[in-house]
């Protein structure tokens, strides 16, 4: 009973406007960032390497290679700082955490597209 | 000392602030409290308001006699106040007493840890685990030899830990939910889930 009450308290902050995400998906995350006094939207595109947490605590780690350097960013999915998330491509992933991507370079780091 | 409320700890979760920062919060269920008694300087030598909360399944006859036609409250605690004039027996107090951003002192009984060693209880340092050492979690020296010839009183040693009355001071109210009778308090509050909690204005 107490656990459901805890979920209930944060229910209004859980976002329902976001697409369903899975490991291996290529996503475009639009996050609001503050530069000085101005607020703008910064888009980060990459592969969902892992999903973690449940409820209000849910987060995703997105990996991308920028100028030859691997970049990973973790986003709190329910954060009001996320403007929107767009799924560009569904990838085939046979495991939940795609840490093996860190050791791969170039084409080897890409995933096959999921056909539905 | 000021008036407060009695509640029960529900657990912890987190909420997003407007700027997107995550605020860790303790959720305390505060059903409306009933004033079950007043202590006055003339009669008792001090001034306080006794608040009751919850519903008791069974009560002793003396307690029923005290409560008369008041709700059969499970728990009652006194809150010291300067003046009891604004309160009357039978009056209901609820979470609307608090507003978000206000600071409160939160009192409860901490989780019992049982008989605990000096490392957990007094933050002593551990001895070496290997290289022939046998003082892994031993407290080490507890005093001198012939002089002073005794162990000083109050020397930190092993013993019962927890299950103490603990007050967290100046905790911030994040939200006072009158609809669900909940208080969200930033940070931890003492006790296990379902523990009785006293919340007073700081």
């Amino acid at each position: 009973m107490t656990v459901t009450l805890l979920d209930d308290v944060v229910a209004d902050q859980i976002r329902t406007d976001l697409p369903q995400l899975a490991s291996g998906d290529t996503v475009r995350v639009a996050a609001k960032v503050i530069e000085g006094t101005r607020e703008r939207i910064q888009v980060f595109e990459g592969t969902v390497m892992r999903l973690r947490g449940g409820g209000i605590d849910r987060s995703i780690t997105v990996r991308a290679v920028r100028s030859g350097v691997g970049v990973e960013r973790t986003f709190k999915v329910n954060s009001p700082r996320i403007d929107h998330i767009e799924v560009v491509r569904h990838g085939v992933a046979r495991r939940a955490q795609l840490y093996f991507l860190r050791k791969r370079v170039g084409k080897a780091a890409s995933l096959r597209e999921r056909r539905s | 000392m000021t008036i407060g409320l009695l509640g029960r700890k529900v657990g912890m979760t987190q909420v997003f602030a407007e700027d997107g920062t995550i605020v860790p919060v303790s959720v305390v269920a505060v059903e409306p409290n009933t004033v079950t008694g007043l202590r006055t300087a003339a009669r008792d030598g001090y001034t306080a308001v006794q608040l009751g909360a919850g519903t008791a399944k069974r009560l002793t006859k003396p307690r029923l006699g005290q409560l008369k036609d008041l709700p059969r409250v499970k728990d009652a605690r006194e809150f010291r106040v300067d003046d009891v004039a604004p309160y009357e027996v039978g009056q209901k107090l609820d979470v609307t007493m608090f507003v978000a951003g206000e600071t409160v002192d939160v009192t409860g009984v901490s989780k019992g840890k049982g008989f605990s060693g000096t490392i957990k209880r007094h933050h002593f340092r551990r001895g070496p685990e290997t290289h022939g050492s046998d003082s892994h979690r031993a407290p080490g020296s507890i005093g001198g030899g012939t002089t002073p010839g005794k162990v000083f009183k109050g020397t930190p040693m092993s013993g019962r830990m927890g299950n103490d009355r603990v007050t967290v001071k100046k905790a911030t109210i994040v939200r006072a939910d009158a609809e669900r009778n909940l208080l969200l308090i930033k940070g931890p509050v003492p006790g296990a889930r379902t523990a009785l909690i006293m919340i007073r204005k700081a």
Side-chain angles (χ1 to χ4, degrees):
Chain A
M1 174 254 155
T2 51
V3 172
T4 53
L5 182 58
L6 282 182
D7 289 339
D8 196 37
V9 170
V10 293
D12 58 325
Q13 290 201 319
I14 293 196
R15 308 216 1 196
T16 50
D17 56 329
L18 301 172
Q20 186 152 16
L21 301 167
S23 291
D25 289 354
T26 301
V27 292
R28 211 172 275 154
V29 181
K32 294 173 194 158
V33 290
I34 294 171
E35 276 179 353
T37 54
R38 226 164 48 85
E39 190 181 76
R40 66 177 189 91
I41 288 172
Q42 187 183 59
V43 179
F44 187 81
E45 187 176 334
T47 312
V48 177
M49 199 177 73
R50 69 171 165 197
L51 300 119
R52 81 158 280 288
I56 191 82
D57 188 34
R58 193 154 183 79
S59 70
I60 58 171
T61 300
V62 181
R63 181 178 167 86
V65 177
R66 293 279 171 275
S67 347
V69 179
V71 181
E72 285 172 18
R73 277 191 73 176
T74 304
F75 299 95
K76 289 281 175 190
V77 169
N78 291 301
S79 169
R81 309 294 309 162
I82 305 269
D83 187 69
H84 66 270
I85 298 177
E86 189 188 324
V87 178
V88 181
R89 182 173 175 270
H90 291 292
V92 177
R94 298 181 68 164
R95 53 211 73 221
Q97 273 97 28
L98 310 180
Y99 298 133
F100 64 86
L101 291 179
R102 290 173 173 166
K103 287 187 182 159
R104 296 201 181 170
V105 184
K107 200 180 171 187
S110 59
L111 299 164
R112 272 182 297 130
E113 185 156 4
R114 194 166 80 207
R115 292 175 199 288
S116 46
Chain B
M1 297 298 244
T2 51
I3 192 81
L5 288 173
L6 295 175
R8 293 216 164 257
K9 181 166 167 178
V10 177
M12 289 194 74
T13 184
Q14 47 185 229
V15 294
F16 287 102
E18 256 168 57
D19 62 352
T21 51
I22 291 166
V23 184
V25 291
S26 298
V27 181
V28 181
V30 185
E31 298 298 324
N33 289 186
T34 313
V35 177
T36 51
L38 297 173
R39 304 283 176 260
T40 55
R43 206 184 52 163
D44 309 288
Y46 66 100
T47 47
V49 177
Q50 190 192 63
L51 293 183
T55 315
K57 279 189 192 158
R58 255 176 252 108
L59 284 173
T60 60
K61 278 200 175 170
R63 187 68 181 131
L64 281 172
Q66 286 169 350
L67 290 174
K68 296 197 183 76
D69 47 1
L70 292 169
R72 297 172 60 167
V73 294
K74 192 172 179 188
D75 305 291
R77 293 286 184 276
E78 286 183 8
F79 291 82
R80 296 289 287 263
V81 292
D82 295 329
D83 186 16
V84 294
Y87 308 102
E88 56 178 297
V89 173
Q91 190 184 345
K92 293 268 184 195
L93 297 173
D94 63 22
V95 293
T96 53
M97 180 193 292
F98 298 112
V99 293
E102 218 178 347
T103 54
V104 289
D105 290 346
V106 187
T107 304
V109 176
S110 62
K111 280 186 182 177
K113 307 290 179 194
F115 190 95
S116 304
T118 49
I119 294 177
K120 185 194 276 257
R121 194 167 181 233
H122 300 295
H123 303 296
F124 277 26
R125 254 160 276 201
R126 180 173 53 65
E129 295 285 32
T130 56
H131 301 294
S133 166
D134 61 357
S135 61
H136 309 305
R137 294 177 72 87
S141 170
I142 56 169
T146 316
T147 318
K150 62 174 180 177
V151 176
F152 288 114
K153 279 189 176 174
T155 301
M157 290 195 209
S158 313
R160 291 279 186 95
M161 183 184 173
N163 204 21
D164 298 316
R165 184 187 159 104
V166 175
T167 303
V168 174
K169 290 185 172 176
K170 288 187 183 170
T172 311
I173 300 268
V174 175
R175 198 191 300 167
D177 190 335
E179 218 169 283
R180 285 181 283 210
N181 288 316
L182 296 174
L183 279 180
L184 270 59
I185 301 168
K186 185 178 176 183
V189 301
R193 281 178 305 195
T194 75
L196 187 70
I197 302 286
M198 288 166 79
I199 306 127
R200 256 177 288 113
K201 290 190 184 186

